[in-house]
Amino acid sequence: MKKLLAMVISLTLINSYVSAEGFNYDYIQARIGTTNSKATDELFIIEASKSVHENIALRGGLAYRHGDWSLTGKNKEQTSSQITAEIIFHKEVFSNTEVLLNVGYSNTDYKTTCKTTAALYSCSATTRINNHEAYGGGLGIRQRLSESIETELYYVGVTSNGSPTTNQVHISLMKELSSNLSIGANYRWNTNGADFNQSEVVIRRKF
């Protein structure tokens, strides 16, 4: 995954001509990635974004995550499915630069399966957690670096079911391959709480 991310980032740094064209918020995209958490070895996300006002866009998504790991005398596997909804407020402050305000919600169902590998150990066969809700908000900037390259930087806070707020930094870099198709990379990490990072490759199509 790190080699693939490096290749995508290298691809985005080809062109240096800056364009005054505005940003697009009407697209669908696929995100494929991994994290440093043993419970999420792989993740697959489909999202759609749509402008509803000059300065407002809505974005929704479906996500699937999977992970498996071994403990003493046990093997565990976790899957989760998630729906997300976001409101994105965006305002141009300079040519090729927008300030972003994001408010979001997610609802996740988890399924964890445990199998014993030694007679002395026991665990529940299957446990489920349904309707795990989370709320978040972020402040960011979207910058066009060239005619075909743009980046986003977000500082985000997320809380779920009364838990303390987890703060994250999100970075995105996208490269236009054609008038409708782009490829890019996302990276995020926690600035407090548990050690966590997430890396993704993104394919986006405008509509």
Side-chain angles (χ1 to χ4, degrees):
M1 177 58 67
K2 289 183 179 179
K3 290 183 179 179
L4 185 55
L5 283 170
M7 181 185 71
V8 170
I9 290 172
S10 297
L11 180 62
T12 64
L13 298 177
I14 296 173
N15 197 322
S16 61
Y17 173 74
V18 175
S19 168
E21 183 181 350
F23 294 103
N24 180 272
Y25 288 89
D26 298 321
Y27 59 82
I28 58 173
Q29 66 180 14
R31 297 161 48 194
I32 303 170
T34 188
T35 79
N36 67 333
S37 170
K38 58 189 177 183
T40 310
D41 294 326
E42 52 190 11
L43 61 93
F44 307 93
I45 302 170
I46 296 293
E47 292 179 316
S49 173
K50 177 63 179 175
S51 294
V52 294
H53 181 270
E54 180 183 359
N55 299 112
I56 301 174
L58 302 180
R59 183 165 61 195
L62 299 173
Y64 173 81
R65 295 174 173 85
H66 173 266
D68 55 69
W69 66 99
S70 297
L71 301 171
T72 303
K74 304 175 184 179
N75 288 332
K76 284 196 170 185
E77 180 181 21
Q78 180 173 285
T79 59
S80 67
S81 57
Q82 181 185 70
I83 60 171
T84 60
E86 301 172 80
I87 302 175
I88 304 168
F89 301 89
H90 53 94
K91 177 68 175 178
E92 184 179 68
V93 290
F94 302 108
S95 176
N96 302 303
T97 304
E98 288 188 343
V99 169
L100 308 172
L101 177 64
N102 178 297
V103 179
Y105 165 84
S106 68
N107 188 300
T108 309
D109 293 338
Y110 295 93
K111 176 184 175 183
T112 304
T113 302
C114 182
K115 296 180 180 179
T116 57
T117 58
L120 297 177
Y121 299 91
S122 63
C123 59
S124 300
T126 302
T127 57
R128 297 178 184 271
I129 299 175
N130 294 326
N131 298 319
H132 182 83
E133 296 180 312
Y135 303 86
L139 182 64
I141 187 170
R142 189 174 183 181
Q143 175 74 49
R144 186 174 296 280
L145 302 179
S146 75
E147 184 180 38
S148 61
I149 301 170
E150 66 176 72
T151 186
E152 288 186 22
L153 175 65
Y154 264 105
Y155 188 73
V156 178
V158 180
T159 185
S160 59
N161 293 359
S163 300
T165 299
T166 298
N167 298 318
Q168 294 184 333
V169 176
H170 296 190
I171 296 177
S172 173
L173 192 63
M174 299 295 296
K175 164 70 175 178
E176 290 184 3
L177 301 179
S178 68
S179 60
N180 293 321
L181 187 65
S182 300
I183 188 171
N186 293 343
Y187 185 72
R188 65 182 63 186
W189 69 93
N190 286 1
T191 61
N192 68 323
D195 177 37
F196 176 80
N197 62 72
Q198 180 170 308
S199 306
E200 304 170 359
V201 171
V202 185
I203 299 175
R204 177 181 297 175
R205 183 172 180 80
K206 298 177 184 178
F207 62 82

